[in-house]
Amino acid sequence: MLLFRLLKIIAVALCFGLDEFLRGQSRIGGPLAALRVVLFWRDFPAPRAVRLRMALEALGPIFVKFGQILSTRRDLLQDDIAAELAKLQDQVPPFPGDEAITVIERAQGKPLAKIFKSFDRVALASASVAQVHLAELHDGREAAVKILRPGIAGVIRNDLALLDAGASLMEWLWADGKRLKPNEVVAEFGRHLNDELDLMREAANASQLHRNFAGSPLLLVPEVYWELCSAEVMVMQRMRGTPVSHVDALRAQGVDIPKLARAGVEIFFTQVFRDGFFHADMHPGNIFVTPGGQYIALDFGIMGTLTPTDKSYLARNFLAFFRRDYRRVAEAHIESGWAPPGTRVDEFETAIRAVCEPIFDKPLKEISFGKLLLRLFQTSRRFNMQIQPQLVMLQKTLLNIEGLGRDLDPDLDLWATAKPFLERWMSEQVGWRALLRQVQDEAPLWAATLPQLPRLIHRALAEDRGTPLEKQIERLQNEQQRLRKKLALVTALFAISVAASACLSWMR
């Protein structure tokens, strides 16, 4: 099966003339020239960019997603290719409306007329894994209905198996293979892609993000209509707005574009550092804007999560980076275990400075994160750093944010915009605010544990009946001393908590 899929990929590439993109490559120039002679009968009336887009569509969802990511990298692609690949964001050919209705009726177990007051058979938008239809509920609410493509699970499963085989081959053949952990990266990508095949998970993601940004002036997230959701169908509130890529239309509506770009950066950092839960598929097809300049998030199939340790590490690195404290960046890498323990801090600091210093004080239009990441990759190889698969989605999202920011406001100062947010976030993680929050979080546990201390002491003594009396007495005295210290600490922290709470209430 994998061999058949590989042959299909090669056949599709040749059928659409994608070998044209490899012309001028000295190592394979000869074989390509011979291949073109053999395939002399091919005729390509369509431009190369159109043929590339059509080939990715023919190969299936994983390749379409690859094209979506590429479409945001206008600094790395020629204009004709970037513009054509942008159509993959929401213009993938739809499947018939009758098939969509069949899926809905099977999921709900009743006729369409009993589910919706009206249903548009023509898809509003069609992507690689699912498509969206508009509908109206019987109570008058407008809804967007997302329906999974029939048979898509098998296609994705085969493509992931092919990617995994390729990763294993790369790890075996390439000297850097084990350090880059390609199998773990593919597994991480596959986990997120498989999540897209269960629309109940996507509905749960949307509900969580909706709760995180409830009342936010920056971001709107549609409400999920749970009673109509299933693994194959997701029904949510219909949102109205203009695609974020239509900058001229947004300007005509009076939207402040530079302010919109800054808000996008704040939304990204809020998701990552405040919540540790972020939208990891933020290409322009998934983001709309209201006339009032508020973002609308759509498509919640791929979400990223970060542990408190990951968030702390990233925040310290970003903050040190924004302050140009490259030694602290180097130390944080070593402390976290991402760089080997024997790494010389001074050499690592110098290497990081050489990569990062040239991009400071420059607007976004003069910075390429693609090239920056390439240089960081070269540095990581030199110092034998370990790739962190759990951050692959974050890196992908950061590239999407850069592409979005570049389209909205090329003069955006990304560093100046992000630095105050990170400083504020870090101030909440240390100092008296953090102490107060920890006391409040731990207070219920302390309240439940303190009454149990005599019983716990009695149990400990009962377990030690076989020991000499002197040792039991000594242990009891030590235990009492520790309990006195803990009780004193608990009392002090509780008093601080009460006083701080009273102070905060007074200030309000």
Side-chain angles (χ1 to χ4, degrees):
M1 182 64 71
L2 289 178
L3 179 60
F4 175 77
R5 181 64 172 156
L6 178 60
L7 292 175
K8 180 182 178 181
I9 293 171
I10 296 173
V12 169
L14 293 176
C15 179
F16 286 95
L18 301 189
D19 52 288
E20 176 183 344
F21 289 90
L22 299 178
R23 290 180 184 176
Q25 303 293 324
S26 57
R27 292 185 178 180
I28 57 175
L32 278 179
L35 183 63
R36 284 192 289 271
V37 172
V38 174
L39 301 176
F40 65 92
W41 45 269
R42 295 183 302 172
D43 183 29
F44 305 118
R48 62 174 188 168
V50 175
R51 286 186 276 117
L52 175 60
R53 192 247 315 156
M54 294 172 64
L56 294 176
E57 289 175 348
L59 288 172
I62 287 185
F63 296 88
V64 168
K65 288 203 169 292
F66 177 68
Q68 290 173 351
I69 295 172
L70 283 179
S71 70
T72 66
R73 307 302 299 144
R74 292 179 179 269
D75 58 319
L76 303 179
L77 298 177
Q78 296 183 8
D79 291 340
D80 62 326
I81 296 175
E84 191 65 31
L85 292 183
K87 297 179 180 179
L88 294 173
Q89 293 164 3
D90 57 2
Q91 298 181 34
V92 178
F95 56 89
D98 290 340
E99 291 187 30
I101 292 174
T102 299
V103 174
I104 294 172
E105 292 180 336
R106 182 176 68 244
Q108 289 294 316
K110 50 188 174 182
L112 187 74
K114 291 187 176 181
I115 306 171
F116 300 111
K117 182 178 180 181
S118 65
F119 180 84
D120 191 345
R121 291 173 177 263
V122 179
L124 174 68
S126 181
S128 55
V129 173
Q131 66 187 36
V132 176
H133 294 253
L134 295 180
E136 183 182 356
L137 305 184
H138 286 288
D139 60 7
R141 289 178 295 176
E142 292 184 317
V145 185
K146 185 169 185 177
I147 304 147
L148 208 63
R149 283 183 176 272
I152 194 65
V155 176
I156 287 181
R157 186 166 51 248
N158 290 337
D159 282 347
L160 285 175
L162 184 63
L163 283 176
D164 192 56
S168 298
L169 187 63
M170 183 178 78
E171 186 170 327
W172 182 55
L173 293 177
W174 196 12
D176 272 337
K178 291 185 178 180
R179 182 181 65 84
L180 296 178
K181 304 178 182 178
N183 287 107
E184 293 185 33
V185 172
V186 170
E188 181 77 6
F189 179 62
R191 181 175 66 83
H192 289 284
L193 199 56
N194 282 323
D195 284 350
E196 287 194 86
L197 300 179
D198 184 350
L199 294 186
M200 285 295 285
R201 290 189 181 186
E202 178 170 347
N205 291 337
S207 182
Q208 177 69 52
L209 196 64
H210 177 83
R211 188 161 59 252
N212 289 349
F213 282 87
S216 170
L218 301 178
L219 180 66
L220 285 174
V221 181
E223 180 185 355
V224 175
Y225 301 147
W226 283 106
E227 67 276 11
L228 298 175
C229 292
S230 69
E232 296 178 285
V233 179
M234 174 183 172
V235 183
M236 65 194 122
Q237 175 187 4
R238 181 185 178 181
M239 309 298 287
R240 299 179 182 274
T242 303
V244 72
S245 56
H246 297 181
V247 180
D248 291 338
L250 293 174
R251 284 199 180 97
Q253 296 172 14
V255 175
D256 185 336
I257 300 300
K259 181 180 178 181
L260 186 68
R262 293 193 300 271
V265 175
E266 183 171 348
I267 290 171
F268 170 73
F269 281 100
T270 299
Q271 291 181 78
V272 171
F273 293 109
R274 187 194 69 183
D275 305 326
F277 182 78
F278 60 93
H279 196 305
D281 199 17
M282 295 184 69
H283 62 74
N286 288 340
I287 305 173
F288 282 54
V289 180
T290 68
Q294 196 173 16
Y295 281 94
I296 301 172
L298 301 172
D299 195 344
F300 312 95
I302 301 181
M303 305 294 290
T305 58
L306 295 174
T307 67
T309 300
D310 289 333
K311 288 195 297 182
S312 177
Y313 162 77
L314 287 170
R316 284 185 287 119
N317 268 275
F318 270 119
L319 204 52
F321 175 72
F322 291 151
R323 293 170 176 170
R324 302 192 187 187
D325 186 354
Y326 303 115
R327 186 174 187 85
R328 184 67 196 121
V329 175
E331 290 172 345
H333 275 72
I334 297 171
E335 290 169 2
S336 66
W338 289 17
T343 303
R344 286 189 53 176
V345 176
D346 55 342
E347 291 184 0
F348 199 18
E349 175 190 0
T350 300
I352 295 172
R353 180 183 294 109
V355 172
C356 300
E357 191 66 19
I359 68 173
F360 269 103
D361 300 325
K362 288 186 177 181
L364 194 54
K365 63 185 177 184
E366 298 180 20
I367 301 172
S368 169
F369 274 95
K371 295 176 181 177
L372 175 64
L373 288 177
L374 178 60
R375 293 192 64 189
L376 288 173
F377 171 81
Q378 294 169 342
T379 300
S380 70
R381 181 169 61 177
R382 173 185 167 191
F383 288 92
N384 197 31
M385 286 178 56
Q386 296 294 312
I387 298 300
Q388 303 300 312
Q390 76 274 19
L391 299 184
V392 169
M393 288 296 112
L394 181 63
Q395 294 165 356
K396 169 182 174 292
T397 304
L398 187 57
L399 291 177
N400 284 341
I401 291 295
E402 182 213 349
L404 175 63
R406 190 185 302 278
D407 288 342
L408 288 175
D409 182 14
D411 293 317
L412 174 68
D413 189 335
L414 185 63
W415 321 124
T417 304
K419 183 180 176 182
F421 178 88
L422 280 175
E423 288 179 333
R424 185 170 65 251
W425 184 85
M426 284 295 291
S427 72
E428 294 172 354
Q429 305 309 303
V430 297
W432 70 269
R433 290 188 183 91
L435 176 61
L436 177 60
R437 186 174 61 254
Q438 290 172 6
V439 169
Q440 292 174 334
D441 291 342
E442 294 292 336
L445 177 61
W446 293 341
T449 303
L450 281 174
Q452 303 178 38
L453 288 179
R455 178 170 55 82
L456 294 175
I457 294 173
H458 182 270
R459 180 184 298 174
L461 291 174
E463 292 174 353
D464 288 343
R465 284 178 181 173
T467 61
L469 180 60
E470 294 80 3
K471 289 187 176 180
Q472 291 188 36
I473 295 174
E474 182 181 357
R475 182 170 299 180
L476 178 60
Q477 291 174 340
N478 291 336
E479 186 68 25
Q480 287 178 334
Q481 189 174 1
R482 283 196 296 269
L483 287 175
R484 288 194 193 98
K485 291 181 179 179
K486 288 183 178 180
L487 187 59
L489 177 61
V490 169
T491 303
L493 291 176
F494 183 73
I496 292 172
S497 176
V498 171
S501 298
C503 181
L504 289 176
S505 300
W506 181 80
M507 288 190 292
R508 289 174 186 153

